[in-house]
PDB file of all heavy atoms in Angstrom:
ATOM      1  N   ALA A   1       0.844  -1.195  -0.008  1.00 76.00           N
ATOM      2  CA  ALA A   1       0.031  -0.007   0.015  1.00 76.00           C
ATOM      3  C   ALA A   1       0.832   1.237  -0.049  1.00 76.00           C
ATOM      4  O   ALA A   1       0.526   2.244  -0.659  1.00 76.00           O
ATOM      5  CB  ALA A   1      -0.931   0.014   1.218  1.00 76.00           C
ATOM      6  N   GLN A   2       1.955   1.287   0.716  1.00 76.00           N
ATOM      7  CA  GLN A   2       2.848   2.394   0.795  1.00 76.00           C
ATOM      8  C   GLN A   2       4.183   2.147   0.098  1.00 76.00           C
ATOM      9  O   GLN A   2       5.135   2.673   0.468  1.00 76.00           O
ATOM     10  CB  GLN A   2       3.085   2.743   2.288  1.00 76.00           C
ATOM     11  CG  GLN A   2       1.860   3.221   2.971  1.00 76.00           C
ATOM     12  CD  GLN A   2       1.332   4.499   2.490  1.00 76.00           C
ATOM     13  OE1 GLN A   2       2.112   5.469   2.250  1.00 76.00           O
ATOM     14  NE2 GLN A   2      -0.015   4.783   2.431  1.00 76.00           N
ATOM     15  N   GLY A   3       4.072   1.304  -0.959  1.00 84.00           N
ATOM     16  CA  GLY A   3       5.283   1.019  -1.671  1.00 84.00           C
ATOM     17  C   GLY A   3       6.083   2.131  -2.209  1.00 84.00           C
ATOM     18  O   GLY A   3       7.280   2.221  -2.123  1.00 84.00           O
ATOM     19  N   CYS A   4       5.255   3.072  -2.742  1.00 86.00           N
ATOM     20  CA  CYS A   4       6.033   4.200  -3.326  1.00 86.00           C
ATOM     21  C   CYS A   4       6.647   5.048  -2.240  1.00 86.00           C
ATOM     22  O   CYS A   4       7.616   5.840  -2.508  1.00 86.00           O
ATOM     23  CB  CYS A   4       5.057   5.054  -4.206  1.00 86.00           C
ATOM     24  SG  CYS A   4       3.698   5.906  -3.313  1.00 86.00           S
ATOM     25  N   ALA A   5       6.108   5.084  -0.994  1.00 86.00           N
ATOM     26  CA  ALA A   5       6.687   5.910   0.083  1.00 86.00           C
ATOM     27  C   ALA A   5       8.069   5.444   0.401  1.00 86.00           C
ATOM     28  O   ALA A   5       8.908   6.216   0.852  1.00 86.00           O
ATOM     29  CB  ALA A   5       5.786   5.731   1.333  1.00 86.00           C
ATOM     30  N   LEU A   6       8.451   4.211   0.003  1.00 88.00           N
ATOM     31  CA  LEU A   6       9.810   3.685   0.276  1.00 88.00           C
ATOM     32  C   LEU A   6      10.878   4.286  -0.709  1.00 88.00           C
ATOM     33  O   LEU A   6      12.031   4.084  -0.547  1.00 88.00           O
ATOM     34  CB  LEU A   6       9.824   2.173   0.160  1.00 88.00           C
ATOM     35  CG  LEU A   6       8.921   1.357   1.150  1.00 88.00           C
ATOM     36  CD1 LEU A   6       8.962  -0.108   0.840  1.00 88.00           C
ATOM     37  CD2 LEU A   6       9.382   1.605   2.568  1.00 88.00           C
ATOM     38  N   LEU A   7      10.339   5.033  -1.652  1.00 92.00           N
ATOM     39  CA  LEU A   7      11.262   5.671  -2.642  1.00 92.00           C
ATOM     40  C   LEU A   7      11.846   7.030  -2.200  1.00 92.00           C
ATOM     41  O   LEU A   7      12.723   7.510  -2.852  1.00 92.00           O
ATOM     42  CB  LEU A   7      10.476   5.931  -3.981  1.00 92.00           C
ATOM     43  CG  LEU A   7      10.095   4.629  -4.725  1.00 92.00           C
ATOM     44  CD1 LEU A   7       9.185   5.019  -5.857  1.00 92.00           C
ATOM     45  CD2 LEU A   7      11.205   3.784  -5.176  1.00 92.00           C
ATOM     46  N   HIS A   8      11.367   7.519  -1.027  1.00 91.00           N
ATOM     47  CA  HIS A   8      11.861   8.938  -0.638  1.00 91.00           C
ATOM     48  C   HIS A   8      13.328   9.064  -0.683  1.00 91.00           C
ATOM     49  O   HIS A   8      13.849  10.055  -1.177  1.00 91.00           O
ATOM     50  CB  HIS A   8      11.207   9.273   0.681  1.00 91.00           C
ATOM     51  CG  HIS A   8       9.810   9.796   0.566  1.00 91.00           C
ATOM     52  ND1 HIS A   8       9.440  11.057   0.738  1.00 91.00           N
ATOM     53  CD2 HIS A   8       8.602   9.063   0.269  1.00 91.00           C
ATOM     54  CE1 HIS A   8       8.129  11.216   0.519  1.00 91.00           C
ATOM     55  NE2 HIS A   8       7.638  10.072   0.304  1.00 91.00           N
ATOM     56  N   SER A   9      14.088   8.165   0.024  1.00 90.00           N
ATOM     57  CA  SER A   9      15.455   8.330   0.199  1.00 90.00           C
ATOM     58  C   SER A   9      16.231   8.342  -1.153  1.00 90.00           C
ATOM     59  O   SER A   9      17.168   9.051  -1.420  1.00 90.00           O
ATOM     60  CB  SER A   9      16.086   7.245   1.146  1.00 90.00           C
ATOM     61  OG  SER A   9      15.838   5.940   0.571  1.00 90.00           O
ATOM     62  N   TYR A  10      15.705   7.459  -2.052  1.00 93.00           N
ATOM     63  CA  TYR A  10      16.303   7.305  -3.428  1.00 93.00           C
ATOM     64  C   TYR A  10      16.034   8.518  -4.248  1.00 93.00           C
ATOM     65  O   TYR A  10      16.916   9.137  -4.927  1.00 93.00           O
ATOM     66  CB  TYR A  10      15.702   6.147  -4.122  1.00 93.00           C
ATOM     67  CG  TYR A  10      15.908   4.840  -3.318  1.00 93.00           C
ATOM     68  CD1 TYR A  10      14.955   4.265  -2.543  1.00 93.00           C
ATOM     69  CD2 TYR A  10      17.100   4.153  -3.568  1.00 93.00           C
ATOM     70  CE1 TYR A  10      15.194   3.180  -1.834  1.00 93.00           C
ATOM     71  CE2 TYR A  10      17.368   2.935  -2.845  1.00 93.00           C
ATOM     72  CZ  TYR A  10      16.368   2.441  -2.054  1.00 93.00           C
ATOM     73  OH  TYR A  10      16.535   1.301  -1.310  1.00 93.00           O
ATOM     74  N   LEU A  11      14.805   9.059  -4.161  1.00 94.00           N
ATOM     75  CA  LEU A  11      14.532  10.316  -4.866  1.00 94.00           C
ATOM     76  C   LEU A  11      15.196  11.568  -4.423  1.00 94.00           C
ATOM     77  O   LEU A  11      15.591  12.430  -5.145  1.00 94.00           O
ATOM     78  CB  LEU A  11      13.023  10.477  -4.862  1.00 94.00           C
ATOM     79  CG  LEU A  11      12.224   9.439  -5.669  1.00 94.00           C
ATOM     80  CD1 LEU A  11      10.697   9.665  -5.502  1.00 94.00           C
ATOM     81  CD2 LEU A  11      12.588   9.480  -7.130  1.00 94.00           C
ATOM     82  N   HIS A  12      15.457  11.582  -3.050  1.00 93.00           N
ATOM     83  CA  HIS A  12      16.265  12.717  -2.442  1.00 93.00           C
ATOM     84  C   HIS A  12      17.682  12.623  -3.046  1.00 93.00           C
ATOM     85  O   HIS A  12      18.246  13.674  -3.332  1.00 93.00           O
ATOM     86  CB  HIS A  12      16.334  12.531  -0.926  1.00 93.00           C
ATOM     87  CG  HIS A  12      15.091  13.176  -0.332  1.00 93.00           C
ATOM     88  ND1 HIS A  12      14.828  14.519  -0.344  1.00 93.00           N
ATOM     89  CD2 HIS A  12      14.193  12.594   0.536  1.00 93.00           C
ATOM     90  CE1 HIS A  12      13.686  14.783   0.373  1.00 93.00           C
ATOM     91  NE2 HIS A  12      13.356  13.670   0.920  1.00 93.00           N
ATOM     92  N   ALA A  13      18.256  11.429  -3.164  1.00 92.00           N
ATOM     93  CA  ALA A  13      19.521  11.309  -3.742  1.00 92.00           C
ATOM     94  C   ALA A  13      19.571  11.716  -5.218  1.00 92.00           C
ATOM     95  O   ALA A  13      20.536  12.415  -5.583  1.00 92.00           O
ATOM     96  CB  ALA A  13      20.087   9.862  -3.570  1.00 92.00           C
ATOM     97  N   VAL A  14      18.623  11.281  -5.905  1.00 94.00           N
ATOM     98  CA  VAL A  14      18.548  11.677  -7.355  1.00 94.00           C
ATOM     99  C   VAL A  14      18.447  13.175  -7.529  1.00 94.00           C
ATOM    100  O   VAL A  14      19.180  13.770  -8.366  1.00 94.00           O
ATOM    101  CB  VAL A  14      17.293  11.029  -8.017  1.00 94.00           C
ATOM    102  CG1 VAL A  14      17.099  11.564  -9.484  1.00 94.00           C
ATOM    103  CG2 VAL A  14      17.453   9.528  -8.101  1.00 94.00           C
ATOM    104  N   HIS A  15      17.571  13.833  -6.692  1.00 94.00           N
ATOM    105  CA  HIS A  15      17.418  15.254  -6.757  1.00 94.00           C
ATOM    106  C   HIS A  15      18.714  15.941  -6.377  1.00 94.00           C
ATOM    107  O   HIS A  15      19.118  17.018  -6.930  1.00 94.00           O
ATOM    108  CB  HIS A  15      16.337  15.733  -5.838  1.00 94.00           C
ATOM    109  CG  HIS A  15      16.152  17.252  -5.871  1.00 94.00           C
ATOM    110  ND1 HIS A  15      15.579  17.847  -6.944  1.00 94.00           N
ATOM    111  CD2 HIS A  15      16.446  18.146  -4.947  1.00 94.00           C
ATOM    112  CE1 HIS A  15      15.568  19.156  -6.663  1.00 94.00           C
ATOM    113  NE2 HIS A  15      16.073  19.307  -5.524  1.00 94.00           N
ATOM    114  N   ALA A  16      19.462  15.442  -5.422  1.00 93.00           N
ATOM    115  CA  ALA A  16      20.698  16.030  -5.006  1.00 93.00           C
ATOM    116  C   ALA A  16      21.847  16.003  -6.030  1.00 93.00           C
ATOM    117  O   ALA A  16      22.587  16.911  -6.264  1.00 93.00           O
ATOM    118  CB  ALA A  16      21.235  15.402  -3.702  1.00 93.00           C
ATOM    119  N   TYR A  17      21.880  14.854  -6.845  1.00 93.00           N
ATOM    120  CA  TYR A  17      23.029  14.661  -7.692  1.00 93.00           C
ATOM    121  C   TYR A  17      22.546  14.872  -9.201  1.00 93.00           C
ATOM    122  O   TYR A  17      23.485  15.093 -10.052  1.00 93.00           O
ATOM    123  CB  TYR A  17      23.609  13.322  -7.547  1.00 93.00           C
ATOM    124  CG  TYR A  17      24.360  13.118  -6.287  1.00 93.00           C
ATOM    125  CD1 TYR A  17      23.623  12.646  -5.141  1.00 93.00           C
ATOM    126  CD2 TYR A  17      25.667  13.422  -6.209  1.00 93.00           C
ATOM    127  CE1 TYR A  17      24.323  12.539  -3.934  1.00 93.00           C
ATOM    128  CE2 TYR A  17      26.334  13.274  -4.959  1.00 93.00           C
ATOM    129  CZ  TYR A  17      25.635  12.876  -3.858  1.00 93.00           C
ATOM    130  OH  TYR A  17      26.381  12.736  -2.672  1.00 93.00           O
ATOM    131  N   ALA A  18      21.313  14.760  -9.440  1.00 94.00           N
ATOM    132  CA  ALA A  18      20.815  14.951 -10.886  1.00 94.00           C
ATOM    133  C   ALA A  18      19.463  15.663 -10.884  1.00 94.00           C
ATOM    134  O   ALA A  18      18.492  15.088 -11.266  1.00 94.00           O
ATOM    135  CB  ALA A  18      20.693  13.533 -11.498  1.00 94.00           C
ATOM    136  N   PRO A  19      19.471  17.000 -10.473  1.00 94.00           N
ATOM    137  CA  PRO A  19      18.233  17.666 -10.158  1.00 94.00           C
ATOM    138  C   PRO A  19      17.379  17.937 -11.464  1.00 94.00           C
ATOM    139  O   PRO A  19      16.208  18.267 -11.298  1.00 94.00           O
ATOM    140  CB  PRO A  19      18.690  18.997  -9.583  1.00 94.00           C
ATOM    141  CG  PRO A  19      20.125  19.140 -10.050  1.00 94.00           C
ATOM    142  CD  PRO A  19      20.731  17.759 -10.120  1.00 94.00           C
ATOM    143  N   THR A  20      17.903  17.759 -12.629  1.00 93.00           N
ATOM    144  CA  THR A  20      17.151  18.076 -13.825  1.00 93.00           C
ATOM    145  C   THR A  20      16.843  16.762 -14.591  1.00 93.00           C
ATOM    146  O   THR A  20      16.151  16.875 -15.637  1.00 93.00           O
ATOM    147  CB  THR A  20      17.792  19.013 -14.755  1.00 93.00           C
ATOM    148  OG1 THR A  20      19.059  18.455 -15.249  1.00 93.00           O
ATOM    149  CG2 THR A  20      18.094  20.386 -14.019  1.00 93.00           C
ATOM    150  N   ALA A  21      17.333  15.670 -14.245  1.00 94.00           N
ATOM    151  CA  ALA A  21      17.078  14.439 -14.913  1.00 94.00           C
ATOM    152  C   ALA A  21      15.642  13.915 -14.714  1.00 94.00           C
ATOM    153  O   ALA A  21      15.010  14.052 -13.580  1.00 94.00           O
ATOM    154  CB  ALA A  21      18.010  13.337 -14.430  1.00 94.00           C
ATOM    155  N   PRO A  22      14.916  13.453 -15.746  1.00 95.00           N
ATOM    156  CA  PRO A  22      13.562  13.020 -15.558  1.00 95.00           C
ATOM    157  C   PRO A  22      13.466  11.664 -14.769  1.00 95.00           C
ATOM    158  O   PRO A  22      14.372  10.820 -14.854  1.00 95.00           O
ATOM    159  CB  PRO A  22      13.075  12.793 -17.017  1.00 95.00           C
ATOM    160  CG  PRO A  22      14.259  12.535 -17.817  1.00 95.00           C
ATOM    161  CD  PRO A  22      15.410  13.316 -17.122  1.00 95.00           C
ATOM    162  N   VAL A  23      12.388  11.556 -13.991  1.00 97.00           N
ATOM    163  CA  VAL A  23      12.202  10.363 -13.197  1.00 97.00           C
ATOM    164  C   VAL A  23      10.852   9.756 -13.576  1.00 97.00           C
ATOM    165  O   VAL A  23       9.776  10.482 -13.607  1.00 97.00           O
ATOM    166  CB  VAL A  23      12.273  10.651 -11.775  1.00 97.00           C
ATOM    167  CG1 VAL A  23      11.896   9.359 -10.899  1.00 97.00           C
ATOM    168  CG2 VAL A  23      13.576  11.181 -11.200  1.00 97.00           C
ATOM    169  N   LEU A  24      10.826   8.478 -13.825  1.00 96.00           N
ATOM    170  CA  LEU A  24       9.613   7.781 -14.224  1.00 96.00           C
ATOM    171  C   LEU A  24       9.246   6.776 -13.126  1.00 96.00           C
ATOM    172  O   LEU A  24      10.101   6.016 -12.618  1.00 96.00           O
ATOM    173  CB  LEU A  24       9.842   6.987 -15.554  1.00 96.00           C
ATOM    174  CG  LEU A  24       8.612   6.302 -16.166  1.00 96.00           C
ATOM    175  CD1 LEU A  24       7.618   7.517 -16.709  1.00 96.00           C
ATOM    176  CD2 LEU A  24       9.084   5.580 -17.398  1.00 96.00           C
ATOM    177  N   LEU A  25       8.040   6.805 -12.606  1.00 95.00           N
ATOM    178  CA  LEU A  25       7.636   5.896 -11.491  1.00 95.00           C
ATOM    179  C   LEU A  25       7.199   4.531 -12.256  1.00 95.00           C
ATOM    180  O   LEU A  25       6.399   4.577 -13.131  1.00 95.00           O
ATOM    181  CB  LEU A  25       6.394   6.380 -10.706  1.00 95.00           C
ATOM    182  CG  LEU A  25       6.738   7.686  -9.863  1.00 95.00           C
ATOM    183  CD1 LEU A  25       5.459   8.063  -9.095  1.00 95.00           C
ATOM    184  CD2 LEU A  25       7.828   7.242  -8.824  1.00 95.00           C
ATOM    185  N   VAL A  26       7.718   3.430 -11.768  1.00 95.00           N
ATOM    186  CA  VAL A  26       7.459   2.125 -12.307  1.00 95.00           C
ATOM    187  C   VAL A  26       6.932   1.194 -11.193  1.00 95.00           C
ATOM    188  O   VAL A  26       7.699   0.939 -10.284  1.00 95.00           O
ATOM    189  CB  VAL A  26       8.669   1.455 -13.045  1.00 95.00           C
ATOM    190  CG1 VAL A  26       8.216   0.155 -13.642  1.00 95.00           C
ATOM    191  CG2 VAL A  26       9.148   2.466 -14.122  1.00 95.00           C
ATOM    192  N   GLY A  27       5.741   0.722 -11.169  1.00 93.00           N
ATOM    193  CA  GLY A  27       5.136  -0.156 -10.243  1.00 93.00           C
ATOM    194  C   GLY A  27       5.275  -1.599 -10.773  1.00 93.00           C
ATOM    195  O   GLY A  27       4.782  -1.887 -11.855  1.00 93.00           O
ATOM    196  N   THR A  28       5.838  -2.466  -9.972  1.00 92.00           N
ATOM    197  CA  THR A  28       5.971  -3.895 -10.460  1.00 92.00           C
ATOM    198  C   THR A  28       4.930  -4.872  -9.728  1.00 92.00           C
ATOM    199  O   THR A  28       4.196  -4.478  -8.891  1.00 92.00           O
ATOM    200  CB  THR A  28       7.368  -4.401 -10.027  1.00 92.00           C
ATOM    201  OG1 THR A  28       7.607  -4.258  -8.676  1.00 92.00           O
ATOM    202  CG2 THR A  28       8.463  -3.512 -10.703  1.00 92.00           C
ATOM    203  N   HIS A  29       5.028  -6.069 -10.194  1.00 90.00           N
ATOM    204  CA  HIS A  29       4.118  -7.140  -9.646  1.00 90.00           C
ATOM    205  C   HIS A  29       2.616  -6.884  -9.927  1.00 90.00           C
ATOM    206  O   HIS A  29       1.745  -7.261  -9.116  1.00 90.00           O
ATOM    207  CB  HIS A  29       4.329  -7.341  -8.175  1.00 90.00           C
ATOM    208  CG  HIS A  29       5.684  -7.751  -7.715  1.00 90.00           C
ATOM    209  ND1 HIS A  29       6.763  -6.817  -7.578  1.00 90.00           N
ATOM    210  CD2 HIS A  29       6.243  -8.942  -7.521  1.00 90.00           C
ATOM    211  CE1 HIS A  29       7.815  -7.460  -7.261  1.00 90.00           C
ATOM    212  NE2 HIS A  29       7.548  -8.794  -7.239  1.00 90.00           N
ATOM    213  N   LEU A  30       2.317  -6.306 -11.083  1.00 90.00           N
ATOM    214  CA  LEU A  30       0.942  -6.008 -11.382  1.00 90.00           C
ATOM    215  C   LEU A  30       0.166  -7.303 -11.480  1.00 90.00           C
ATOM    216  O   LEU A  30      -1.121  -7.271 -11.207  1.00 90.00           O
ATOM    217  CB  LEU A  30       0.931  -5.281 -12.751  1.00 90.00           C
ATOM    218  CG  LEU A  30      -0.492  -4.890 -13.305  1.00 90.00           C
ATOM    219  CD1 LEU A  30      -1.224  -3.930 -12.295  1.00 90.00           C
ATOM    220  CD2 LEU A  30      -0.382  -4.308 -14.695  1.00 90.00           C
ATOM    221  N   ASP A  31       0.740  -8.417 -11.851  1.00 88.00           N
ATOM    222  CA  ASP A  31       0.008  -9.684 -11.990  1.00 88.00           C
ATOM    223  C   ASP A  31      -0.535 -10.176 -10.670  1.00 88.00           C
ATOM    224  O   ASP A  31      -1.426 -11.054 -10.530  1.00 88.00           O
ATOM    225  CB  ASP A  31       0.921 -10.778 -12.522  1.00 88.00           C
ATOM    226  CG  ASP A  31       2.215 -10.921 -11.723  1.00 88.00           C
ATOM    227  OD1 ASP A  31       3.101 -10.013 -11.746  1.00 88.00           O
ATOM    228  OD2 ASP A  31       2.318 -11.934 -11.029  1.00 88.00           O
ATOM    229  N   GLN A  32       0.026  -9.668  -9.560  1.00 86.00           N
ATOM    230  CA  GLN A  32      -0.402 -10.078  -8.199  1.00 86.00           C
ATOM    231  C   GLN A  32      -1.328  -9.046  -7.565  1.00 86.00           C
ATOM    232  O   GLN A  32      -1.612  -9.012  -6.385  1.00 86.00           O
ATOM    233  CB  GLN A  32       0.738 -10.207  -7.254  1.00 86.00           C
ATOM    234  CG  GLN A  32       1.675 -11.352  -7.795  1.00 86.00           C
ATOM    235  CD  GLN A  32       2.866 -11.593  -6.833  1.00 86.00           C
ATOM    236  OE1 GLN A  32       2.846 -11.304  -5.680  1.00 86.00           O
ATOM    237  NE2 GLN A  32       3.948 -12.093  -7.500  1.00 86.00           N
ATOM    238  N   GLY A  33      -1.924  -8.095  -8.377  1.00 78.00           N
ATOM    239  CA  GLY A  33      -2.804  -7.111  -7.876  1.00 78.00           C
ATOM    240  C   GLY A  33      -2.117  -5.901  -7.356  1.00 78.00           C
ATOM    241  O   GLY A  33      -0.780  -5.859  -7.294  1.00 78.00           O
ATOM    242  N   THR A  34      -2.816  -4.903  -6.975  1.00 74.00           N
ATOM    243  CA  THR A  34      -2.249  -3.663  -6.506  1.00 74.00           C
ATOM    244  C   THR A  34      -2.996  -3.155  -5.188  1.00 74.00           C
ATOM    245  O   THR A  34      -4.226  -3.214  -5.217  1.00 74.00           O
ATOM    246  CB  THR A  34      -2.264  -2.571  -7.566  1.00 74.00           C
ATOM    247  OG1 THR A  34      -1.817  -1.343  -6.991  1.00 74.00           O
ATOM    248  CG2 THR A  34      -3.651  -2.331  -8.119  1.00 74.00           C
ATOM    249  N   GLY A  35      -2.194  -2.703  -4.317  1.00 71.00           N
ATOM    250  CA  GLY A  35      -2.784  -2.079  -3.078  1.00 71.00           C
ATOM    251  C   GLY A  35      -2.308  -0.650  -2.964  1.00 71.00           C
ATOM    252  O   GLY A  35      -2.207  -0.127  -1.871  1.00 71.00           O
ATOM    253  N   GLU A  36      -1.903  -0.105  -4.159  1.00 73.00           N
ATOM    254  CA  GLU A  36      -1.284   1.206  -4.188  1.00 73.00           C
ATOM    255  C   GLU A  36      -2.245   2.269  -3.648  1.00 73.00           C
ATOM    256  O   GLU A  36      -3.474   2.299  -3.875  1.00 73.00           O
ATOM    257  CB  GLU A  36      -0.914   1.564  -5.604  1.00 73.00           C
ATOM    258  CG  GLU A  36      -0.238   2.855  -5.752  1.00 73.00           C
ATOM    259  CD  GLU A  36       0.203   3.093  -7.208  1.00 73.00           C
ATOM    260  OE1 GLU A  36      -0.618   3.098  -8.089  1.00 73.00           O
ATOM    261  OE2 GLU A  36       1.434   3.287  -7.399  1.00 73.00           O
ATOM    262  N   ASP A  37      -1.658   3.185  -2.894  1.00 76.00           N
ATOM    263  CA  ASP A  37      -2.434   4.279  -2.300  1.00 76.00           C
ATOM    264  C   ASP A  37      -2.179   5.555  -3.241  1.00 76.00           C
ATOM    265  O   ASP A  37      -1.113   6.077  -3.335  1.00 76.00           O
ATOM    266  CB  ASP A  37      -1.807   4.640  -0.890  1.00 76.00           C
ATOM    267  CG  ASP A  37      -2.566   5.755  -0.183  1.00 76.00           C
ATOM    268  OD1 ASP A  37      -3.280   6.511  -0.893  1.00 76.00           O
ATOM    269  OD2 ASP A  37      -2.412   5.867   0.930  1.00 76.00           O
ATOM    270  N   ALA A  38      -3.238   5.962  -3.903  1.00 81.00           N
ATOM    271  CA  ALA A  38      -3.122   6.994  -4.912  1.00 81.00           C
ATOM    272  C   ALA A  38      -2.735   8.361  -4.254  1.00 81.00           C
ATOM    273  O   ALA A  38      -1.996   9.103  -4.900  1.00 81.00           O
ATOM    274  CB  ALA A  38      -4.513   7.196  -5.594  1.00 81.00           C
ATOM    275  N   ALA A  39      -3.181   8.536  -3.030  1.00 85.00           N
ATOM    276  CA  ALA A  39      -2.758   9.780  -2.324  1.00 85.00           C
ATOM    277  C   ALA A  39      -1.284   9.820  -2.073  1.00 85.00           C
ATOM    278  O   ALA A  39      -0.609  10.865  -2.162  1.00 85.00           O
ATOM    279  CB  ALA A  39      -3.515   9.915  -1.020  1.00 85.00           C
ATOM    280  N   ALA A  40      -0.688   8.659  -1.737  1.00 85.00           N
ATOM    281  CA  ALA A  40       0.781   8.531  -1.572  1.00 85.00           C
ATOM    282  C   ALA A  40       1.545   8.894  -2.791  1.00 85.00           C
ATOM    283  O   ALA A  40       2.561   9.536  -2.755  1.00 85.00           O
ATOM    284  CB  ALA A  40       1.152   7.179  -0.992  1.00 85.00           C
ATOM    285  N   VAL A  41       1.066   8.369  -3.873  1.00 88.00           N
ATOM    286  CA  VAL A  41       1.656   8.638  -5.223  1.00 88.00           C
ATOM    287  C   VAL A  41       1.641  10.113  -5.532  1.00 88.00           C
ATOM    288  O   VAL A  41       2.596  10.763  -5.949  1.00 88.00           O
ATOM    289  CB  VAL A  41       1.037   7.887  -6.380  1.00 88.00           C
ATOM    290  CG1 VAL A  41       1.614   8.217  -7.649  1.00 88.00           C
ATOM    291  CG2 VAL A  41       1.214   6.399  -6.115  1.00 88.00           C
ATOM    292  N   ALA A  42       0.418  10.747  -5.265  1.00 90.00           N
ATOM    293  CA  ALA A  42       0.225  12.177  -5.560  1.00 90.00           C
ATOM    294  C   ALA A  42       1.223  13.034  -4.659  1.00 90.00           C
ATOM    295  O   ALA A  42       1.774  13.982  -5.091  1.00 90.00           O
ATOM    296  CB  ALA A  42      -1.186  12.613  -5.317  1.00 90.00           C
ATOM    297  N   ASP A  43       1.341  12.620  -3.411  1.00 90.00           N
ATOM    298  CA  ASP A  43       2.224  13.292  -2.512  1.00 90.00           C
ATOM    299  C   ASP A  43       3.661  13.272  -2.957  1.00 90.00           C
ATOM    300  O   ASP A  43       4.487  14.172  -2.890  1.00 90.00           O
ATOM    301  CB  ASP A  43       2.153  12.691  -1.107  1.00 90.00           C
ATOM    302  CG  ASP A  43       3.056  13.394   0.012  1.00 90.00           C
ATOM    303  OD1 ASP A  43       2.877  14.603   0.223  1.00 90.00           O
ATOM    304  OD2 ASP A  43       4.006  12.707   0.307  1.00 90.00           O
ATOM    305  N   LEU A  44       4.012  12.030  -3.455  1.00 91.00           N
ATOM    306  CA  LEU A  44       5.371  11.870  -3.973  1.00 91.00           C
ATOM    307  C   LEU A  44       5.792  12.765  -5.153  1.00 91.00           C
ATOM    308  O   LEU A  44       6.748  13.374  -5.257  1.00 91.00           O
ATOM    309  CB  LEU A  44       5.675  10.368  -4.375  1.00 91.00           C
ATOM    310  CG  LEU A  44       7.068   9.873  -4.416  1.00 91.00           C
ATOM    311  CD1 LEU A  44       7.724   9.829  -3.110  1.00 91.00           C
ATOM    312  CD2 LEU A  44       7.044   8.441  -5.084  1.00 91.00           C
ATOM    313  N   LYS A  45       4.732  12.866  -6.011  1.00 92.00           N
ATOM    314  CA  LYS A  45       4.929  13.656  -7.277  1.00 92.00           C
ATOM    315  C   LYS A  45       4.994  15.136  -6.831  1.00 92.00           C
ATOM    316  O   LYS A  45       5.707  15.983  -7.503  1.00 92.00           O
ATOM    317  CB  LYS A  45       3.794  13.450  -8.231  1.00 92.00           C
ATOM    318  CG  LYS A  45       3.883  12.018  -8.773  1.00 92.00           C
ATOM    319  CD  LYS A  45       2.704  11.776  -9.813  1.00 92.00           C
ATOM    320  CE  LYS A  45       2.940  12.563 -11.074  1.00 92.00           C
ATOM    321  NZ  LYS A  45       1.943  12.207 -12.104  1.00 92.00           N
TER     322      LYS A  45
END
C-alpha cells in the first residue's frame, strides 16, 4: 500500500545529484494485484 513511500530516500539522492534528470515511476508485480495508495503517489509527485 505504501510501496512508493519507500522511494523517498532514493529520490532525495537523485534530486541532489541529478536535479534536472527525468524520473519515471514504475510499479511492479501487477500480476499479483495492487494495493497502491493514490494519495501517496500524488504526495510523492
Side-chain angles (χ1 to χ4, degrees):
Q2 294 293 321
C4 68
L6 299 174
L7 294 174
H8 278 254
S9 61
Y10 301 95
L11 293 174
H12 277 297
V14 170
H15 180 71
Y17 290 91
T20 62
V23 177
L24 191 65
L25 293 180
V26 181
T28 61
H29 299 84
L30 180 62
D31 56 287
Q32 298 181 27
T34 175
E36 183 176 59
D37 184 341
V41 175
D43 178 67
L44 200 68
K45 296 180 70 173

